Amino acid sequence: MTHPRRRTAAEAIAAKDPRGRIRVVTDPDPSGPATALRTADPSWSCVGPDATHHVVFQDDVLIADNFFPYAEKVAAAVPGEAVAFYEGWEGRNSGVVRLGALTGAQWAYAIDEHVPSLALMLPAEAARGYRRFAAEHGGGWPYDVVIQRYLKALDIPVRIAVPSTVDHDDVPSIAGNSTHGWRRATFFTDRAPLFAEPDRTCPEFSVVPFYQYGESKCAVRQAEGWECLDTDRYLRRAGLLDRCEAGLAAADLPALPGTVCRQVWLTAFATGAVVAGLTDRDPEPAAARAVFEALGPGGLCEEYTGAELVPMIPLVRDLALTAFAAGRAAHRATADAPRPAPVPGVVVTGGDPAFAAQLARLLTDAGRPAVHAERLDPAAPAVPGAPDAVIHLGSPHDTGYPLADLLADAEKLGARRLVHASSAAVYRGGAAEDRTEDSVTEPPKDAEARLWWDAEQQCRAWGRQSGTPVQIVRFAEPVGPHAPLGGVLADWMLRAWTRRPMPLTEGRRHQIVDYRDMAGALAALLARPAGPEVCNVASAGYDETALAELVTETARRTPWEQAPAPAAHTPLMSTDLITAETGWRPSASVRNGARAQAQWLACDTHDDLVGLWA
């Protein structure tokens, strides 16, 4: 697939197949907005009538010697799977390739993320069905997200070659991806293996450390899907953070920014710990050097130019190899040490189940062991004895677990405290100045605000009747994975991903709360006897333009346009009271949380499509 301006380069790639099977397909509307999605349709549709598999290359690839006989063997060995012959050093799946290389695997299954589509092979029938799916579900989403959702709907797994047998040729992106910086494979071989029969074994990792956007993360498989969390948080859960920090403090650090040293160390240390839990064998030295040489450019390619990254590569590699060895040693030293699970005393209910489960884990991280339960069950309680607290994520539109039922169940369980997570929407339609907790003393006139107010009043009345302390926490618009989609930021992110302009209204101000700050504020309240009946919680405030810029920085660059003011808008809240009462202050990186939300919207919100095309 190519653009007419690069047809010559595409024809040179096509000429590499000795049997002449590659067809060059050009953008059907080359003057239209830059997107690979438009050319993907004809590229996947031109399947030969007798083909068993179909491969689509983008026009900026380098292909290993012996690739085509190798691809034929792979197609015959795994006929029902998608095969990615390339994975870049800048994504979550770079961590998958790194783990595969360090454990000696030839393949590894991709985790949830946009599918690496620079050189992708599908079964022929799946290739033929792509056009219809894209027409019905594409909706302007990026091509690699659409192909991911398509394969998820078909329940076709994606296996990634380790090493890659196709690399990215560093030429300017016509599809608008040059803002992502220098892009190459995590691990590349310039000669595809000559084997009589490929190894079909393909590991599926449950913990994947990766380095992206300058941040060290771990993708961890949970019951509700993948959780991408900061690596230091993962290491704390694994009981390894103290050893990691001690190793970093003792290391001879290279001449790199301190933040880079720390994030590289965290990633490589966690990688070592994961690898030690998978195998006792030492990694092949050349493979270890190669995958850690790709670590720095992958994590920093949007912040530094290629020329700036080149001298950093050996410094990052050597630091990462040291941290990798320290992580392996730490895992081996602690593998047999008993680690009793904390006894939960907090139950989180209500809201989106995935968001509630995530919040319960974050509360546990903050020292308030918690579990998630979709309903309180007095016959089979989620925690032993009466819960110290029930945290209910309120939603006036949620009929799955009516608030009256929740309150009755909490009373039967003997809950010692109820924390009702309400919303800043209770202030909708009020004055523009920052609102304090006592700003609303009577039922609001705005219909949405009234629903939140009524739920708060219901909880207060129950508390007076039952004698149970009740606290109301009014949160600003939540931001992070699994956050509700009704807020302005989520709406604008969805518009950005699907190439629709954001409607800005002059004069509005916005307030958001990072999902980790939500947990921190709740933990701070629970650490003290029940205090103020109502508290406001927010992480940061933005004017209209600043919030739009946050979207373009963390999701996708997109235009915006002026729009008329909505009938009512939520004003900003003062958070002085919770700080005075508990000392809590927002501490999470809101930009980090917004990017996590944007990535979740693009890569993890497609499970509703599963089965539609099977």
Side-chain angles (χ1 to χ4, degrees), residues 18 87 150 168 175 211 229 274 279 291 297 500 598:
E87 167 53 38
Y150 177 51
H168 190 277
Y211 185 34
L229 66 160
V274 172
T279 180
V291 296
R500 294 174 292 158

Side-chain angles (χ1 to χ4, degrees), residues 189-466:
T189 178
D190 59 6
R191 176 167 288 276
L194 286 167
F195 41 48
E197 184 73 19
D199 183 1
R200 294 179 174 85
T201 304
C202 191
E204 188 171 12
F205 303 116
S206 58
V207 178
V208 180
F210 63 96
Y211 185 34
Q212 188 179 37
Y213 306 119
E215 301 165 351
S216 179
K217 299 281 188 178
C218 279
V220 180
R221 189 187 299 278
Q222 304 288 358
E224 69 275 9
W226 288 95
E227 178 188 19
C228 290
L229 66 160
D230 297 335
T231 299
D232 52 1
R233 189 181 295 276
Y234 166 74
L235 290 172
R236 184 181 295 112
R237 292 179 187 178
L240 296 172
L241 183 59
D242 289 345
R243 288 175 180 266
C244 177
E245 297 285 13
L248 176 59
D252 183 14
L253 300 181
L256 292 168
T259 300
V260 171
C261 288
R262 176 173 174 77
Q263 298 303 312
V264 165
W265 183 275
L266 285 167
T267 309
F269 184 97
T271 301
V274 172
V275 167
L278 296 170
T279 180
D280 291 330
R281 59 176 286 182
D282 291 332
E284 202 277 317
R289 287 175 61 87
V291 296
F292 285 122
E293 282 179 350
L295 185 65
L300 299 168
C301 59
E302 297 205 4
E303 185 177 350
Y304 294 85
T305 66
E308 292 170 329
L309 286 169
V310 167
M312 299 170 70
I313 288 175
L315 303 179
V316 169
R317 176 200 63 210
D318 292 347
L319 177 63
L321 286 168
T322 301
F324 174 71
R328 294 177 74 201
H331 179 274
R332 290 167 178 166
T334 60
D336 297 328
R339 295 187 62 244
V343 178
V346 178
V347 183
V348 181
T349 67
D352 176 79
F355 190 83
Q358 174 180 258
L359 183 62
R361 290 191 293 270
L362 293 171
L363 282 164
T364 302
D365 294 342
R368 306 301 303 183
V371 293
H372 165 242
E374 293 197 25
R375 300 180 68 96
L376 298 179
D377 186 352
V383 302
D388 296 331
V390 171
I391 296 175
H392 183 65
L393 304 182
S395 173
H397 305 289
D398 180 17
T399 59
Y401 191 18
L403 183 56
D405 293 351
L406 173 280
L407 297 174
D409 290 341
E411 187 168 359
K412 290 175 185 175
L413 283 169
R416 298 187 179 94
R417 187 191 304 196
L418 172 70
V419 179
H420 179 71
S422 187
S423 170
V426 76
Y427 299 116
R428 273 172 57 101
E433 70 271 8
D434 291 1
R435 312 311 302 276
T436 57
E437 287 79 357
D438 57 1
S439 297
V440 180
T441 57
E442 57 185 27
K445 292 184 173 62
D446 179 83
E448 182 75 7
R450 178 61 185 266
L451 290 173
W452 287 101
W453 168 266
D454 288 346
E456 292 181 4
Q457 296 302 105
Q458 188 176 354
C459 291
R460 287 168 163 159
W462 172 83
R464 291 190 295 270
Q465 172 269 321
S466 66

Side-chain angles (χ1 to χ4, degrees), residues 65-81:
D65 293 341
N66 194 48
F67 173 84
F68 293 97
Y70 157 80
E72 292 165 4
K73 295 278 190 181
V74 172
V78 289
E81 297 188 1

Side-chain angles (χ1 to χ4, degrees), residues 422-424 474-479 511-513 518 536-540 573:
S422 187
S423 170
R474 292 171 180 160
F475 286 108
E477 178 184 338
V479 171
Q511 213 166 21
I512 59 178
V513 59
M518 289 181 70
N536 296 331
V537 173
S539 297
M573 305 182 296

Side-chain angles (χ1 to χ4, degrees), residues 468-490:
T468 306
V470 171
Q471 288 181 284
I472 308 296
V473 184
R474 292 171 180 160
F475 286 108
E477 178 184 338
V479 171
H482 308 288
L485 299 182
V488 174
L489 188 71

